[in-house]
Amino acid sequence: MAEQVAEKSASNRADELYRLRHSTAHIMAAAVLEMFPDAKLAIGPPIKDGFYYDFDLPRPISTEDFGQLRGRMIQLVKRDVPFEREEWPKDKARDFFSDQPYKLELIDGIEGDTVSIYKSGPLTDLCAGPHVESSGVLENFDLLKVAGAYWRGDENRPMLQRIYGTAWPTKKELDHYLYTIEEAKRRDHRKLGKELNLFDFHELSPGSVFWKPKGWTAYRELKNYFRQIEQQQGYIEICNPSFYHQDLFEQSGHLEHYEDNMFTMDVHGQTYCLKPMNCPDTMLFFASQKRSYRELPLRVAEFGHLHRNERPGALGGATRVRQFVQDDAHIFCAQEHLYDEIALFLEMVDATYGMFDMEYELELSTRPDEYLGELAMWDEAEASLKRALEEAGKPFTIDEGDGAFYGPKIDFNVLDCLGRDWQCATIQLDFQLPRRFELTYTGADNDEKTPIVIHRAIAGSLERFFAILVEHFAGVFPTWMAPIQAVVIPITDEQNDYAFDVADRLKQAGIRVEVDHRSEKVGYKIRESEKQKIPYMLVVGGREEEADTVALRTYQEGRRGVMEIDELRREIVEKIEERTLDVEIDRPDLAQPDDAAQVGQEMEERGY
RNA sequence: GCCGACGUAGCUCAGUGGUAGAGCAGCUCUCUCGUAAAGAGCAGGUCACCGGUUCGAGUCCGGUCGUCGGCUCCA
């Protein structure tokens, strides 16, 4: 019952935001028409957090035009122009929109003999509605950015200019939203990566991460974690080459489907390719010896370096790169292993994301219209996936028909600080690849059988996952991942020897510790350590040296007072060994006022 | 790849056609200091790259590369 009420109120809220944002889009279109009477209008829907409208304009528009555009919109809001709905026969609409080619195309796509029209001030627009009653309530908006967008999302059709804006019922919500945008920029992994000296980029290798010592240390810790849980779950790890004769990808089918994304090179008259995925060469591993049913399920991990030739405009930070490593593994198994393998993987994903306190969403994609393999196999595989999901007790959505032609899959999406969702973990069943490589194992009945392959990754791209973690933590790594876990700060040069002695004692326990022995004041060194987000700061002066202690300050808790070195060492070592999440995940900037996230999801589901 | 914006010192950024600037970081010296910035001095630039206009280009124009925001694609 309570749930129903909540649903209803979210619905009302979604309706309100829908009307508000959709109407603001119309007001913007009206203002654009005032500025550019020849503008051709495309579509202007509400979206999560705001709205956009696509235009075909006589000249490029830029944020420099926002002042004027905003001013004209405010005028329309102040005039409180009503939104009036009319129902027109299609012929009348075609006549009216005769110089608006995109509207004409939309009219042709609408069912029935009539279309609905909304008039608001100078704008008469083809629109299904609904809208607010009049524009007076639309005062809490702002214009955000301009972007290019293809008409109907088709890259073969004209490129339009899209203006993005945001709109809220109250000034408070608008201000909060604008604040979240600023706050999100502050924790952008590209900015933090530079400030914390984690990684770099260089134009001589676009789309590649240059790992610096600090970032590489944290990255290695992350990779070690994946190695460890895989090893605990009975995975074996291999390391194969990065480039292959193209025949490998001919056989796997990648050349046919993926060639545009592959780097190829001529080697003594033969064509070689950098591998874009680990699957084909893992097939070679399986085929490298005679296999028995006793070996199954065979879980083979490979942290291979992958190269994909992304289009220049698609690159971005460490989240979208040309070379990366996946925490990839392929499980060779029989039909009867499917359920257990899927269930085991769901546990691993949940444990990992839980360890980082990350939210994620699950989506099951089922058999597409064009598929390969036997129907019965598909049905059984999908049933296994569904049952594992249900028994894991996590909510999931089903995307019917969105599976790959070679098998169904589950995708796991996590949200980054900008609210973008990234596909990280994935588990895909594959009935085709083993056949293409003619893989077999000997069954208990001495028959040769074809295994099923499961592709799976928890982080997906380690580079991307690392970037998401940086944003998630706002640069404050838990102690086990921190590049420098402790810094010893002598108060004067007198304590330098003692400081190095303390550092040595911690180093012996495997703790990453440095001594800041520069001739600077304590305050200065503390400030530097705070800025570098070092979890443990150990101040040593005359008193500490005398008593063989340190004055402890931590990033999370501030001053903690004097501590014995053994006790401190135990505390840090335990956190490292347990991989304790000893940082607060600070999400105030991610929090939406009330239920905007739910509303956003609902709007998405309705196809707004 | 497409649309748009941007590219000046290691970093953050000033510089509207007439001698390339600041803060921080770096180096040297002084200070030896008790929990988020001590002081002084020095050094640091082919203004992304290529071409054009001009007596003269960081500045104007064209191209290339890169970065960013989107679109398309996607881990």
Side-chain angles (χ1 to χ4, degrees), chain A residues 187 222 225-226 349-361 394 412-417 420-425 458-459 461-462 464-474 480-481 581 585 587 590:
Chain A
R187 54 166 73 193
L222 184 64
Y225 164 75
F226 286 115
V349 171
D350 196 59
T352 302
Y353 290 175
M355 187 178 79
F356 293 117
D357 194 17
M358 294 172 98
E359 307 283 339
Y360 65 98
E361 291 166 356
K394 292 270 169 193
F412 303 68
N413 293 308
V414 300
L415 297 180
D416 73 3
C417 77
R420 295 174 295 207
D421 63 294
W422 296 102
Q423 191 211 307
C424 290
I458 297 175
S461 152
L462 289 180
R464 168 183 297 180
F465 193 71
F466 188 89
I468 293 169
L469 278 181
V470 167
E471 302 190 348
H472 181 62
F473 289 134
W480 69 272
M481 273 186 82
L581 186 69
I585 309 298
R587 308 184 216 244
L590 304 181

Side-chain angles (χ1 to χ4, degrees), chain A residues 337-442:
Chain A
H337 296 125
L338 281 181
Y339 171 78
D340 284 343
E341 289 306 311
I342 297 159
L344 172 67
F345 181 67
L346 291 180
E347 269 174 46
M348 288 171 77
V349 171
D350 196 59
T352 302
Y353 290 175
M355 187 178 79
F356 293 117
D357 194 17
M358 294 172 98
E359 307 283 339
Y360 65 98
E361 291 166 356
L362 292 147
E363 184 177 74
L364 171 65
S365 296
T366 59
R367 179 167 43 82
D369 293 338
E370 289 185 30
Y371 66 97
L372 293 176
E374 299 94 53
L375 191 58
M377 205 175 193
W378 274 87
D379 287 344
E380 198 176 332
E382 287 179 5
S384 296
L385 285 164
K386 211 174 278 183
R387 184 157 68 90
L389 279 168
E390 279 160 4
E391 294 194 9
K394 292 270 169 193
F396 63 96
T397 54
I398 298 182
D399 200 344
E400 296 285 356
D402 197 45
F405 66 89
Y406 51 76
K409 63 171 180 175
I410 301 171
D411 286 326
F412 303 68
N413 293 308
V414 300
L415 297 180
D416 73 3
C417 77
L418 292 160
R420 295 174 295 207
D421 63 294
W422 296 102
Q423 191 211 307
C424 290
T426 186
I427 179 166
Q428 306 190 8
L429 309 194
D430 192 334
F431 310 129
Q432 291 310 312
L433 208 50
R435 296 184 185 191
R436 294 192 80 118
F437 282 85
E438 296 172 349
L439 302 183
T440 59
Y441 63 93
T442 310

